[in-house]
Amino acid sequence: APASFQVRRQGLVAAKAKRQPLIDAVGSVAYALYMMAWFAFIPIDVFRLRLLPPPSAAVSVLGAAAAIAGVIVAHVAIAQNRYAAPTIHDQRSEGQRVIDTGLYGVVRHPFYAGMLLVYAGAALWLGSYAALIGAAGFLVMTLARIVIEEAYLRQTLPAYAGYARRVRGRLIPYLL
């Protein structure tokens, strides 16, 4: 699905004509900065700070499995939804519609769910419980983004409200 992956190549801030909400542009930049700081923190913690004892080998292997599973989920979600852009913006001119099949028939934001698995898994895989605690920041920012994104989708795609009623889970089926 090359078109699905092509839309992911745009930057964190959409062109003005695409009408990206300012809060999304600011939030996307903040998220990217947090991600860079978080990734830089992991080796500092593992090799210098050692804030918490390292995970066991078994926990690290589980972390690796979670990270790999998260990458797979995120890539499948992108392949299934060619409108899964890194920014919230008006895509009606490209024929945007609600995608409600595949992973999107199970949860409304499978890409975000996959990425949260990647962050948690990578922290364990790379040996830092402190980074796992720091990954909670990604959860907070992701939940905030979901609120903003869903408000925008309800406004621009009339079918989204019905989809949200049918598919209850945002990240985890029937729970969250």
Side-chain angles (χ1 to χ4, degrees), residues 110-140:
F111 175 79
Y112 298 151
M115 290 310 299
L116 290 171
L117 265 176
V118 169
Y119 299 134
L124 295 174
W125 185 9
L126 298 173
S128 176
Y129 278 122
L132 178 63
I133 293 167
F138 291 116
L139 177 61
V140 170

Side-chain angles (χ1 to χ4, degrees), residues 1-10 18 74-87 89 91-101 104:
S4 296
F5 289 92
Q6 183 65 29
V7 74
R8 299 292 309 167
R9 298 176 113 202
Q10 75 178 50
K18 294 191 177 211
H75 278 81
V76 169
I78 292 169
Q80 292 177 349
N81 183 357
R82 70 182 203 97
Y83 307 106
T87 60
H89 65 275
Q91 297 183 71
R92 288 177 290 184
S93 64
E94 290 101 43
Q96 184 180 19
R97 62 180 178 79
V98 173
I99 306 299
D100 60 359
T101 58
Y104 290 88

Side-chain angles (χ1 to χ4, degrees), residues 27-42 112-113 115-123 130-146 171:
S28 294
V29 170
Y31 189 96
L33 292 172
Y34 186 84
M35 185 187 323
M36 287 185 282
W38 180 81
F39 272 119
F41 169 78
I42 294 173
Y112 298 151
M115 290 310 299
L116 290 171
L117 265 176
V118 169
Y119 299 134
L132 178 63
I133 293 167
F138 291 116
L139 177 61
V140 170
M141 288 186 283
T142 298
L143 291 172
R145 177 133 198 240
I146 286 172
L171 296 169

